[in-house]
Amino acid sequence: SIIVQNYMNNSCLAALESWQKFAGRPFIVFALDDLITDLDASNPFRREFFANGRARLSYALKRCDRMVVSTEYLAEAYHHFIGDIRIVPNRLDSEIWLPLASERQCGGRPRIGWAGGVTHQEDLLLLKEVIEQTREEADWVFFGMCPDEIRPLLAEYHSLVPFTDYPAYLASLNLDIAVAPLADTPFNHAKSNLRLLEYGMLGIPVVCTDITPYRNSPACRVPNHPARWIEAIRARVYDADARVREGRALRRWVREHFLLDGSQDDWLDAHLPDGWAKPIQ
C-alpha cells in the first residue's frame, strides 16, 4: 500500500494520476483526519486552502482505492467521493503515555487547564466569561494557543513545545481539571476525541462541550452557555474527591478502548487490500 495524506496540490495530484499507469499498481489509501472542505472562518489555514479544494479532493479520491478517516462524521461527509471508506479511531501509544504521571492539588487552588494548537481561537473565546467569573477560585493554565482577550486572565501561559515533548510537558502542568471547549461548527463535529484521550490518560477530569466527538465518554459535557460551564467548573473546584473519581473513570475508559496495543490488525485491515495475509507468529 501507499498511504497519502493531504495529497491535493498539483504535484500530488499528478503523482496519483501517474500511479494509475504502473504495472502492478500499488493499493492507494488516502488518510484524512479533518473536515478540510469546511474549515471554520477563524481557522488560520482557511486562507491557505485551495479555493477549489472540494474538486481537488474529489479528483484525488477518484484515483485512490480507499479512504481512511478517524470519525463516523468524516466518513459520512465524504462517502459520496469514494465507495470504500474505513474508520480507524485515534488511539494513544502506551509506551509514550503510560509512564507519565501528573500530580494533583499541587497549589493552594485547583489548576484548570487547556492545551492545543492555533486553530482554536473561536473555541477558546467561549471560555472568556467563564474564566473571568472563576479566576479568583482557581488558577487557569493555558498551553499552546491563547487568544489575546484571555491571556491577561491566566495564572500561567506555556508556549507550544516540540511534538515529541508534548505528552510529558502536558503531564508536568499538574492540572486538577481540564477543559475542552468546541464551537458548534461542522469542522468541530467532525473532530476526534483525541483531546479527551490525552487528558484522560493522565487521570485529569474534563469539562467539555456537548458535541459529537465528546459524546459516549465519561467526561462532563455541557452546552456552550457560560452559566452551565461555570456551574460545572465550580462543582469540581470545591469537590476534590469527585475530581479524583472522575479522573480515574476517564483514565480507565481510555486504557480499555483507546490504546494502540492490540489494534494492529484493525490498522492493517484498514490500510492494506482486502485479504492481506497476516504474518505467521
Side-chain angles (χ1 to χ4, degrees):
S1 291
I2 292 181
I3 302 169
V4 300
Q5 296 175 325
N6 296 325
Y7 250 51
M8 295 175 63
N9 65 31
N10 291 345
S11 61
C12 290
L13 295 181
L16 288 173
E17 179 67 30
S18 69
W19 293 343
Q20 309 305 309
K21 303 179 179 64
F22 286 179
R25 183 179 75 78
F27 189 78
I28 305 172
V29 178
F30 195 108
L32 192 60
D33 192 34
D34 277 316
L35 190 65
I36 59 174
T37 53
D38 200 348
L39 299 176
D40 293 340
S42 62
N43 191 313
F45 299 114
R46 182 185 177 106
R47 56 181 170 269
E48 301 174 12
F49 193 65
F50 302 102
N52 62 343
R54 197 172 188 84
R56 285 174 175 267
L57 179 61
S58 176
Y59 183 96
L61 290 176
K62 283 182 171 62
R63 287 149 183 83
C64 293
D65 299 290
R66 182 179 296 158
M67 186 180 200
V68 172
V69 295
S70 56
T71 70
E72 292 184 8
Y73 194 101
L74 284 171
E76 179 61 27
Y78 292 131
H79 78 276
H80 55 287
F81 283 145
I82 186 169
D84 188 356
I85 298 183
R86 307 292 174 90
I87 301 170
V88 180
N90 280 335
R91 295 182 172 97
L92 298 184
D93 186 340
S94 60
E95 291 188 6
I96 294 173
W97 288 89
L98 278 178
L100 299 177
S102 187
E103 301 297 325
R104 300 288 171 271
Q105 304 180 52
C106 292
R109 303 190 299 187
R111 294 168 60 80
I112 306 175
W114 179 88
V118 298
T119 62
H120 290 278
Q121 175 83 10
E122 185 177 0
D123 305 327
L124 293 178
L125 289 177
L126 296 169
L127 292 178
K128 184 173 184 292
E129 183 178 344
V130 178
I131 299 174
E132 288 173 336
Q133 295 294 323
T134 58
R135 60 193 294 249
E136 299 301 323
E137 303 163 72
D139 291 332
W140 283 85
V141 180
F142 272 38
F143 171 27
M145 166 72 179
C146 184
D148 293 339
E149 299 93 326
I150 288 179
R151 183 76 173 269
L153 306 175
L154 302 180
E156 294 176 22
Y157 170 71
H158 301 259
S159 299
L160 284 173
V161 297
F163 180 76
T164 53
D165 297 337
Y166 171 81
Y169 199 95
L170 180 63
S172 75
L173 297 179
N174 296 328
L175 301 177
D176 295 292
I177 304 167
V179 292
L182 286 177
D184 187 2
T185 66
F187 183 83
N188 284 339
H189 278 279
K191 280 182 172 291
S192 77
N193 58 5
L194 182 59
R195 191 68 67 236
L196 294 193
L197 304 187
E198 294 172 348
Y199 294 144
M201 195 63 172
L202 297 173
I204 305 169
V206 179
V207 178
C208 61
T209 298
D210 186 9
I211 193 170
T212 303
Y214 297 157
R215 289 169 187 154
N216 302 313
S217 79
C220 172
R221 300 179 301 280
V222 294
N224 283 337
H225 301 303
R228 296 291 300 275
W229 273 87
I230 292 168
E231 178 185 9
I233 292 293
R234 283 181 170 153
R236 285 149 186 81
V237 164
Y238 295 107
D239 193 339
D241 290 340
R243 295 199 304 265
V244 171
R245 288 195 299 272
E246 287 187 14
R248 286 174 178 167
L250 197 57
R251 179 166 53 199
R252 185 165 55 249
W253 174 70
V254 176
R255 294 180 68 163
E256 289 177 357
H257 303 289
F258 295 100
L259 293 183
L260 282 172
D261 307 65
S263 66
Q264 293 92 335
D265 285 349
D266 292 340
W267 199 91
L268 291 170
D269 284 340
H271 292 85
L272 290 172
D274 289 337
W276 64 277
K278 297 181 182 180
I280 297 173
Q281 300 296 323

